[in-house]
Amino acid sequence: MTISKPKLLCVWKEFQYMGGVERRMARIMNLIVSKGVEVEFLFLLNKMSLIEIQEMYSQVLSSECHIRFSAARNLSDVVQSISNSKADIACNVGILHPLQIMIPFLITTSFIDSKTMMFLVSTSQSIHKFPTFLHRIAFDISALCSDRIDCLYPSATESVQRRFPMCRVTTTPCPGTLLDVFVPAEKKKVIAFVCRWVEVKNVRLFFDSVLTIEEDLYQAGYIVQLCGKSSDGQMEKYIARRLASARHPEIIHCPGFIKPETVLPEAELFLSLQDINNYPSQSLLEAISSGCYIIASDEGDTRRIVKPEFGTYCELSVPSVAKSILDYLKISQEDKRKAVEAARSFALENFHIETSAAYYADIAREAAATKKQSLFRRLVNSRRQCQTNTAQESDCSK
């Protein structure tokens, strides 16, 4: 008899660039296929094609892609695709689009026997902060209807569990990265900042800090690689305006979204300045694996992965960030070399992606072994049981 593989389904909304969450999940889920788990990514597409999505994934994987991709163009397609997937566990990757993702996901999973899991991968969501009331309601309903909430942030797990005591809340093991791709190269005088340009990443803070010390950076021979893009183009306009009056605009490069492995292995210094938590930023993990010295905001679980041997902590202010960069310029070449070795050593000891892959493979196998009855089926069976009891009581009264 052939035993079917456990199946894990992830439901995503369309995205145009592979940010840290997308790169991390792609690498982990591609690896768990080798552990006997079938993985499908379902995308609700608007402007993009499935081929374009697949091409983006192929660019961030160091091996052949084994994930199955499927697409939906409307709510009806989402419902049908989830129903036909026959997944043992259906996963909602955050509540990034409440109406287009949450509603069909919850409706459909109420009628199938799949267990459900929410990936809590947003720092804002981890502290229950949302852009709109609708996003908050969508998150709360989705969390309450999930069999498991997998929280990426250790410091937030307890508060999430208190908020949703009926849910099973677990903490993702520290995600890894591609240790064979992000390897220290000959270091150049490059300061790197790599991220999606959203508010919590503090792109403007980094840029303003660099401008205040542009003369020092120029004299020391450093260039800045400010990589990424915003969704509305406003940050690009702000940077262009400020650079127009800068004394040394040539030292600040804004190449847009690029492969991190083309910048980080050669960069000396990397900054991560998130508001709530830098842990476990995929770009930060890639930078540490590449042997970069780290300047990070002292927020959340950051100290779990940024150690004094290869990094320092700063406040979220222009004076503090600028001073931290200038302090790095004063470090001796020997101490810089030691920091590269310490960062790489820490990555080799702690950033193995196999740990996360084994964790999610176990979740899929557990779901397959303990598959629940859908809400719809439980209601139908309950009604049948009531009808049977009524019939038996009627027979006894005759």
Side-chain angles (χ1 to χ4, degrees):
M1 181 179 67
T2 302
I3 301 176
S4 60
K5 295 181 179 179
K7 182 172 182 179
L8 186 149
L9 171 72
C10 290
V11 183
W12 299 79
K13 77 176 185 71
E14 176 183 286
F15 50 80
Q16 295 182 325
Y17 307 103
M18 296 290 286
V21 171
E22 292 81 16
R23 297 199 304 276
R24 180 177 65 87
M25 295 303 294
R27 292 162 181 167
I28 292 172
M29 293 301 165
N30 196 52
L31 184 57
I32 75 169
V33 176
S34 65
K35 300 182 181 297
V37 177
E38 184 180 350
V39 177
E40 179 180 349
F41 279 9
L42 170 63
F43 289 90
L44 178 60
L45 300 181
N46 181 22
K47 299 179 180 179
M48 300 183 69
S49 69
L50 192 59
I51 291 178
E52 290 175 303
I53 294 288
Q54 290 173 303
E55 287 176 350
M56 286 196 298
Y57 272 85
S58 66
Q59 292 176 7
V60 301
L61 297 173
S62 61
S63 58
E64 181 182 354
C65 182
H66 300 292
I67 299 169
R68 180 176 179 271
F69 295 89
S70 58
R73 289 286 179 182
N74 50 53
L75 299 186
S76 176
D77 286 349
V78 173
V79 171
Q80 184 175 2
S81 297
I82 296 176
S83 299
N84 294 339
S85 71
K86 301 188 186 318
D88 296 295
I89 184 163
C91 307
N92 184 0
V93 188
I95 308 301
L96 303 176
H97 212 306
L99 295 179
Q100 292 185 345
I101 295 292
M102 187 273 289
I103 292 177
F105 181 86
L106 293 181
I107 291 175
T108 310
T109 53
S110 296
F111 286 82
I112 62 177
D113 293 340
S114 302
K115 286 198 170 184
T116 54
M117 176 166 67
M118 176 196 289
F119 289 125
L120 203 168
V121 295
S122 160
T123 55
S124 298
Q125 291 173 2
S126 72
I127 61 171
H128 215 242
K129 180 181 178 182
F130 303 93
T132 67
F133 179 72
L134 177 60
H135 280 78
R136 177 177 177 175
I137 293 300
F139 178 89
D140 288 350
I141 294 175
S142 185
L144 290 169
C145 294
S146 297
D147 295 291
R148 179 194 293 254
I149 301 174
D150 190 57
C151 183
L152 190 57
Y153 313 100
S155 60
T157 301
E158 185 177 346
S159 62
V160 173
Q161 184 67 82
R162 286 198 305 268
R163 189 175 297 278
F164 304 105
M166 301 301 292
C167 300
R168 181 181 181 187
V169 181
T170 54
T171 306
T172 316
C174 180
T177 191
L178 299 179
L179 296 171
D180 57 339
V181 173
F182 293 93
V183 180
E186 182 179 349
K187 291 298 182 180
K188 299 179 180 179
K189 292 185 174 182
V190 174
I191 300 172
F193 193 88
V194 181
C195 68
R196 195 189 302 275
W197 290 5
V198 294
E199 185 177 359
V200 297
K201 307 285 188 178
N202 283 312
V203 179
R204 182 168 177 167
L205 170 61
F206 171 75
F207 177 74
D208 289 347
S209 301
V210 166
L211 277 191
T212 64
I213 55 172
E214 62 172 323
E215 184 64 35
D216 299 273
L217 296 178
Y218 175 78
Q219 294 296 333
Y222 279 84
I223 65 168
V224 175
Q225 291 281 7
L226 177 48
C227 308
K229 285 184 178 181
S230 66
S231 60
D232 58 8
Q234 293 304 307
M235 183 56 64
E236 286 86 346
K237 293 178 181 178
Y238 173 78
I239 290 174
R241 287 197 305 270
R242 294 293 308 276
L243 284 179
S245 59
R247 295 186 61 184
H248 303 289
E250 69 277 7
I251 72 170
I252 301 178
H253 302 172
C254 299
F257 272 105
I258 62 173
K259 292 183 177 180
E261 59 267 33
T262 64
V263 173
L264 298 179
E266 294 181 346
E268 279 191 11
L269 181 62
F270 179 87
L271 281 82
S272 185
L273 305 174
Q274 296 198 43
D275 276 343
I276 302 169
N277 208 333
N278 294 291
Y279 173 102
S281 161
Q282 189 63 205
S283 295
L284 178 54
L285 298 182
E286 292 164 350
I288 295 172
S289 181
S290 298
C292 297
Y293 189 87
I294 307 298
I295 296 175
S297 53
D298 194 8
E299 305 293 335
D301 301 292
T302 300
R303 289 180 181 249
R304 286 175 174 264
I305 53 175
V306 177
K307 302 299 180 181
E309 292 78 13
F310 56 85
T312 190
Y313 317 104
C314 67
E315 298 176 1
L316 290 170
S317 68
V318 168
S320 180
V321 175
K323 180 181 183 301
S324 296
I325 297 174
L326 292 178
D327 286 345
Y328 170 77
L329 300 187
K330 300 173 185 176
I331 296 177
S332 68
Q333 289 300 316
E334 177 61 17
D335 286 341
K336 289 179 180 179
R337 183 190 64 79
K338 290 179 179 178
V340 172
E341 294 178 352
R344 179 62 179 175
S345 177
F346 183 81
L348 290 174
E349 291 176 6
N350 296 280
F351 296 166
H352 290 281
I353 198 169
E354 290 81 3
T355 303
S356 296
Y359 169 77
Y360 285 119
D362 286 343
I363 288 177
R365 283 190 283 266
E366 178 186 321
T370 60
K371 187 178 290 188
K372 71 174 184 182
Q373 280 192 330
S374 68
L375 174 62
F376 176 75
R377 184 172 296 184
R378 290 199 301 270
L379 291 174
V380 169
N381 290 343
S382 177
R383 179 176 176 81
R384 286 176 178 171
Q385 186 62 48
C386 288
Q387 290 173 340
T388 300
N389 293 342
T390 301
Q392 290 175 345
E393 290 172 0
S394 178
D395 289 340
C396 291
S397 65
K398 291 180 180 178

